[in-house]
Amino acid sequence: MRRKSVMWCLVLVLMISIVSGCSGGNSQHADGSSQDKGSEGGATDNGSSADAVELSFWYGWTGPEGEAIEKLIAKWNAANPGIQVKGLSQSDYQKQLTAITGGNPPDIASQFGQNVVPWGLRGAMMPLDDYIAQDGVDLQDFVPAALSTSQYEDKTYAIPIAMHVSMLFYNKDILAEAGFDGPPATIGELKQYTKALSIVEDGGRLQRLGLWPGMDAYTFAYAYSGSFYDAEAKQVTPDHAGVKAAIELSKSIWDQYGSDNLDRFSSGLGQYMSAQNPFFSGKYAMTIDGEWLPTFIKQFAPNLNYGIAPIPYDENNPVMKNPGNVATSVFYIPKGAKHPDASWKFLKWMTEPEQMAEFTAALGNLPTRTSAFTNPVYAEVPGFKEFLDYSSSSNLKSFPATSFANEYMTEFGVQYDAILRGSIGLEEGLKKVKDKIQPLVK
């Protein structure tokens, strides 16, 4: 999961057009499948065997982030000659599903938390609860909001390795030039700042945006106390007042510039993971992004004078200060994996506090285990304290874990984009979402 995709997977469809060890004979496993004795090569964690098990591990990270995970794989392989892991950077998650349904899955894989329940309920992921109980893994050590993305109806389908939240980043120099001595605290101030910090030439051509208007509707829906699903009534609620308010916020900013001007402007923006990132290059005065961004700034724009602030809150509802959306990156064992016992050993090791801290610190992510929070490795991670403090907010929410979450987010994203571009009205667009998704609530 190369970084931007980690949190932006939740909003990927929103941006479509906006930019874009058991042993023993015939043992029974958590998924109900059988495994013959000896299929793990007869090796223990630290034993050696000429018939070592080789595990295929598909992960979604690339570049320096992929290098960080390969470093941990090498550390495991050096200590576990009987179970050797071979990593493959594979960020096409549809290929994961195709491999699973085709009967040739990897032994371990990474995914995004919002995909866990749909995949788990459809049989693509092994439940891990028997392994968790067998090895006494302390689930109480995990941040509840992060763990909830991997669980459904008392079953755990994955283990979250990293937690992602967003905050507001701002260019201190640009704000100072405009007469602002600090970041916007409320949504009202956010709108004021966005307009004042944008540079628009005659004819509407944009030179700089205060903030990209196609904002994460999930984060701002929670800022407005929004809800996407009423579990008790079993009703999807894309037309909830808080969700509507979030879309109206983006729409009000979008309409100040127009789709043609925004499309022209976005077509000239640089790559996200580079010095030409629009926030790094000054094309955006502010941006809403995740905990990994300070690490990218350190790599690509070390001289950028920036600050990190909470997501602006609704001034009419101050109890909703510090709102946001929680997403996760997870590891899971695909259904049909050839060596599930060995796979679990590696998965369990990767998500222990020491390895979790080493990995998430390298990526600038937040760990999902509270016992990892105080690991000294985070002392050198820029922005870690700000995001760790923010992650304790009671106003952080996760998109509802349901079997139809993928379809819901896809359709919501399509209609959100259409609403912003004016090709459909707010009420009609949200009704389309409800009419398409509600029949899936079974």
Side-chain angles (χ1 to χ4, degrees):
M1 308 171 182
R2 52 179 291 172
R3 162 6 275 189
K4 190 178 177 186
S5 58
V6 182
M7 178 76 69
W8 284 92
C9 181
L10 247 191
V11 295
L12 177 62
V13 287
L14 300 184
M15 311 302 287
I16 290 173
S17 302
I18 300 172
V19 225
S20 175
C22 298
S23 62
N26 202 34
S27 63
Q28 194 77 12
H29 299 304
D31 67 339
S33 64
S34 295
Q35 177 96 10
D36 291 335
K37 181 178 179 180
S39 65
E40 307 303 342
T44 61
D45 284 13
N46 295 301
S48 62
S49 171
D51 301 317
V53 172
E54 183 175 287
L55 302 178
S56 58
F57 175 27
W58 291 6
Y59 56 83
W61 294 273
T62 62
E65 297 177 327
E67 293 171 8
I69 207 163
E70 286 290 345
K71 182 178 179 181
L72 277 168
I73 292 173
K75 182 178 178 181
W76 164 272
N77 286 341
N80 297 273
I83 302 174
Q84 295 290 284
V85 177
K86 185 176 182 179
L88 175 66
S89 179
Q90 174 55 270
S91 57
D92 185 341
Y93 295 103
Q94 184 57 41
K95 287 187 177 180
Q96 281 188 19
L97 197 57
T98 300
I100 295 168
T101 57
N104 190 32
D107 295 287
I108 317 103
S110 69
Q111 250 297 351
F112 296 108
Q114 76 275 4
N115 290 332
V116 171
V117 173
W119 284 37
L121 292 180
R122 292 170 185 173
M125 295 181 174
M126 281 181 53
L128 302 176
D129 303 279
D130 288 352
Y131 287 125
I132 291 168
Q134 164 192 294
D135 287 350
V137 176
D138 182 13
L139 296 185
Q140 298 299 314
D141 187 35
F142 287 82
V143 176
L147 185 62
S148 69
T149 65
S150 296
Q151 296 179 318
Y152 188 75
E153 294 185 345
D154 300 323
K155 286 189 177 181
T156 306
Y157 292 100
I159 303 295
I161 181 69
M163 180 170 63
H164 317 293
V165 299
S166 292
M167 295 183 74
L168 178 74
F169 291 79
Y170 60 98
N171 186 310
K172 291 183 177 181
D173 294 336
I174 293 177
L175 265 66
E177 290 171 4
F180 297 115
D181 58 4
T186 67
I187 290 175
E189 291 177 351
L190 179 68
K191 291 190 284 188
Q192 175 192 356
Y193 277 51
T194 299
K195 185 174 183 178
L197 296 169
S198 297
I199 299 177
V200 187
E201 294 183 341
D202 290 343
R205 186 175 292 272
L206 285 158
Q207 293 299 316
R208 184 175 72 203
L209 274 175
L211 179 72
W212 178 259
M215 298 175 290
D216 175 6
Y218 302 108
T219 288
F220 280 94
Y222 299 138
Y224 284 112
S225 302
S227 173
F228 289 88
Y229 184 57
D230 185 336
E232 185 174 342
K234 295 189 181 300
Q235 292 285 321
V236 294
T237 56
D239 53 354
H240 187 282
V243 179
K244 287 183 179 180
I247 298 175
E248 289 169 341
L249 169 63
S250 291
K251 176 70 170 168
S252 68
I253 302 173
W254 187 278
D255 287 348
Q256 293 178 33
Y257 309 108
S259 297
D260 290 344
N261 290 324
L262 288 167
D263 288 344
R264 185 186 303 113
F265 179 71
S266 66
S267 69
L269 298 178
Q271 293 185 354
Y272 182 85
M273 293 180 67
S274 75
Q276 286 70 50
N277 178 302
F279 179 64
F280 304 168
S281 65
K283 292 292 186 178
Y284 293 167
M286 301 181 294
T287 191
I288 294 168
D289 217 318
E291 75 286 344
W292 55 85
L293 194 67
T295 297
F296 285 179
I297 293 173
K298 184 177 180 180
Q299 293 173 350
F300 300 115
N303 296 320
L304 182 65
N305 186 19
Y306 73 99
I308 307 173
I311 298 294
Y313 65 92
D314 178 13
E315 53 267 43
N316 299 312
N317 192 13
V319 297
M320 290 304 298
K321 283 185 176 181
N322 300 337
N325 180 67
V326 176
T328 57
S329 298
V330 306
F331 293 146
Y332 74 100
I333 302 175
K335 188 69 174 288
K338 297 179 180 64
H339 308 288
D341 292 349
S343 298
W344 166 251
K345 290 179 181 179
F346 177 69
L347 191 160
K348 174 178 174 289
W349 179 83
M350 281 289 291
T351 55
E352 288 172 350
E354 182 181 347
Q355 286 73 241
M356 179 180 288
E358 181 178 343
F359 179 61
T360 54
L363 275 63
N365 291 160
L366 294 170
T368 59
R369 301 187 72 149
T370 59
S371 60
F373 287 173
T374 57
N375 192 304
V377 71
Y378 294 114
E380 302 302 319
V381 178
F384 180 78
K385 184 182 186 305
E386 290 91 336
F387 275 91
L388 183 61
D389 290 346
Y390 199 70
S391 70
S392 65
S393 170
S394 60
N395 289 327
L396 298 180
K397 311 295 180 183
S398 296
F399 192 82
T402 64
S403 61
F404 50 87
N406 287 338
E407 293 89 342
Y408 193 173
M409 288 187 290
T410 298
E411 184 63 20
F412 181 82
V414 169
Q415 299 306 330
Y416 175 57
D417 178 60
I419 292 166
L420 289 181
R421 294 180 174 275
S423 57
I424 197 170
L426 175 65
E427 299 292 342
E428 183 183 358
L430 296 181
K431 184 178 185 299
K432 281 193 172 187
V433 178
K434 194 165 190 175
D435 289 348
K436 184 169 184 177
I437 304 304
Q438 186 58 41
L440 303 180
V441 185
K442 303 290 187 183

